[in-house]
């Protein structure tokens, strides 16, 4: 197992035909020596309680997400990540979010064969509102080549198989991302266990 460096990441991330690693909506300036800094996408969900969530969108005209004191928001990354069975990623926060009083809640790892946006929670721990803008950096990823480990097997009807099937519904082309039957993003979120 080894950590991918900047040159390796550039070679694969920019190549949308790569079967090793692809990052859609990749921004080269967000790539550091061994990490890629991912950005806030346009879709978020206000979580009032586990059963009370409201899906919203940021736009070019209204690109600011305001997080009130003690509020918890689920957000989606701008980038889509497609990992092969030879890669695993480690997820981290960025210093700016920490300095602004935001806790980024995420799984510590992205598993091999992941294919989709990152979905993370953001909590404002300050007693004042915090504003973040669409496409602001909210976290970072480091990628590890695990090709020296045993092959990844997805067990049919497992949770991992269900997640992989849902994530595989995205279609990629030169024209951008096409969702199943041109669905509204909120419908995709509901299908991804967001309103259960």
């Amino acid at each position: 197992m080894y950590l991918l460096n900047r040159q390796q990441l550039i070679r694969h991330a920019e190549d949308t035909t790569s079967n090793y690693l692809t990052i859609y909506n990749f921004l080269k300036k967000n790539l550091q020596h061994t990490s890629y800094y991912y950005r806030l996408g346009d879709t978020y969900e206000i979580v009032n309680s586990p059963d009370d969530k409201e899906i919203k969108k940021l736009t070019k005209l209204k690109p600011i997400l305001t997080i009130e004191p003690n509020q918890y928001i689920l957000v989606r990354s701008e980038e889509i990540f497609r990992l092969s069975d030879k890669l695993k990623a480690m997820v981290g926060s960025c210093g700016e979010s920490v300095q602004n009083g935001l806790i980024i809640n995420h799984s510590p790892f992205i598993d091999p064969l992941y294919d989709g946006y990152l979905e993370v929670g953001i909590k404002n721990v300050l007693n004042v509102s915090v504003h973040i803008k669409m496409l602001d950096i909210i976290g970072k990823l480091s990628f590890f080549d695990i090709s020296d480990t045993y092959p990844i097997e997805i067990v049919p009807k497992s949770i991992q198989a269900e997640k992989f099937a849902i994530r595989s519904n995205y279609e990629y082309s030169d024209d951008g991302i096409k969702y199943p039957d041109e669905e509204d993003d909120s419908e995709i979120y509901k299908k991804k266990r967001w309103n259960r």
Side-chain angles (χ1 to χ4, degrees):
M1 182 168 82
Y2 63 89
L3 177 64
L4 272 63
N5 63 31
R6 179 181 171 86
Q7 290 77 19
Q8 292 166 315
L9 289 170
I10 287 173
R11 185 173 66 238
H12 295 289
E14 290 185 323
D15 179 4
T16 56
T17 63
S18 172
N19 291 324
Y20 186 70
L21 169 67
T22 305
I23 302 175
Y24 294 92
N25 303 323
F26 175 75
L27 191 59
K28 195 172 187 176
K29 74 176 189 175
N30 286 8
L31 188 58
Q32 298 301 313
H33 301 296
T34 57
S35 297
Y36 179 78
Y37 286 84
Y38 64 92
R39 300 166 289 157
L40 176 66
D42 66 352
T43 305
Y44 66 98
E45 190 168 9
I46 298 171
V47 180
N48 299 311
S49 74
D51 298 322
D52 181 11
K53 300 174 184 174
E54 184 180 352
I55 296 173
K56 296 197 172 222
K57 286 262 198 192
L58 297 172
T59 65
K60 289 181 181 179
L61 296 175
K62 293 185 179 182
I64 306 295
L65 172 59
T66 299
I67 305 174
E68 300 299 335
N70 207 37
Q71 188 177 37
Y72 188 71
I73 306 281
L74 294 174
V75 300
R76 183 175 78 178
S77 67
E78 172 66 13
E79 295 84 357
I80 294 174
F81 300 91
R82 182 178 279 179
L83 280 63
S84 73
D85 61 348
K86 295 174 177 27
L87 286 179
K88 188 172 186 89
M90 187 168 64
V91 185
S93 298
C94 67
E96 190 171 307
S97 295
V98 173
Q99 292 167 0
N100 290 331
L102 298 175
I103 295 175
I104 309 298
N105 186 25
H106 52 77
S107 172
F109 298 102
I110 300 174
D111 292 327
L113 300 176
Y114 184 84
D115 185 2
Y117 294 99
L118 294 185
E119 298 162 345
V120 300
I122 301 178
K123 179 159 179 93
N124 178 0
V125 296
L126 300 180
N127 58 7
V128 296
S129 299
V130 175
H131 309 283
I132 55 176
K133 190 175 179 182
M134 185 170 60
L135 304 181
D136 277 354
I137 291 171
I138 56 173
K140 63 184 170 183
L141 299 174
S142 295
F143 297 90
F144 294 86
D145 186 294
I146 58 166
S147 40
D148 57 351
T149 61
Y150 291 104
I152 304 300
E153 179 182 340
I154 297 179
V155 178
K157 298 183 182 178
S158 68
I159 292 172
Q160 186 66 29
E162 178 185 328
K163 286 182 181 180
F164 187 69
I166 291 168
R167 291 171 183 157
S168 296
N169 286 331
Y170 301 121
E171 292 180 27
Y172 310 96
S173 71
D174 292 337
D175 298 327
I177 302 157
K178 180 181 175 193
Y179 301 100
D181 301 323
E182 293 296 328
E183 289 182 285
D184 182 281
D185 281 332
S186 60
E187 293 303 312
I188 291 173
Y189 272 83
K190 289 175 188 172
K191 289 179 182 176
K192 290 175 86 172
R193 304 171 12 158
W194 276 61
N195 282 326
R196 287 188 183 171

